[in-house]
Amino acid sequence: MFIKILTKEYRGEKYYYASLVENKRIDCKVVQTVKANLGAVTEEQIPYLKAAYAKKKPRLVYDED
């Protein structure tokens, strides 16, 4: 499963919507099925959502030295 971000542009502004998507192989074709619509997100939230469902968890917060 992974997070898929859809970008819509309306009156010159960009809006982002997130969905939880799973890939399945059906009759030798890969089909994406939406498991959950997460709704509208801001551009700053996108890396955190993707990191939450990533196989290798990246480090998003760094300690100050």
Side-chain angles (χ1 to χ4, degrees):
M1 284 198 234
F2 63 96
I3 297 291
K4 183 176 183 179
I5 304 295
L6 298 173
T7 305
K8 304 282 183 174
E9 191 167 336
Y10 181 70
R11 293 186 180 178
E13 289 191 42
K14 288 187 178 182
Y15 297 94
Y16 301 98
Y17 298 93
S19 299
L20 183 62
V21 178
E22 179 182 39
N23 285 339
K24 288 185 179 179
R25 187 172 295 277
I26 300 175
D27 295 329
C28 300
K29 292 184 180 181
V30 176
V31 178
Q32 292 183 349
T33 57
V34 176
K35 293 295 181 180
N37 287 317
L38 302 177
V41 295
T42 62
E43 193 171 1
E44 293 81 25
Q45 292 173 327
I46 294 172
Y48 295 102
L49 279 172
K50 288 188 173 188
Y53 286 93
K55 288 183 181 179
K56 292 183 179 180
K57 303 290 184 203
R59 189 168 175 195
L60 296 174
V61 179
Y62 298 98
D63 298 329
E64 294 198 24
D65 294 332

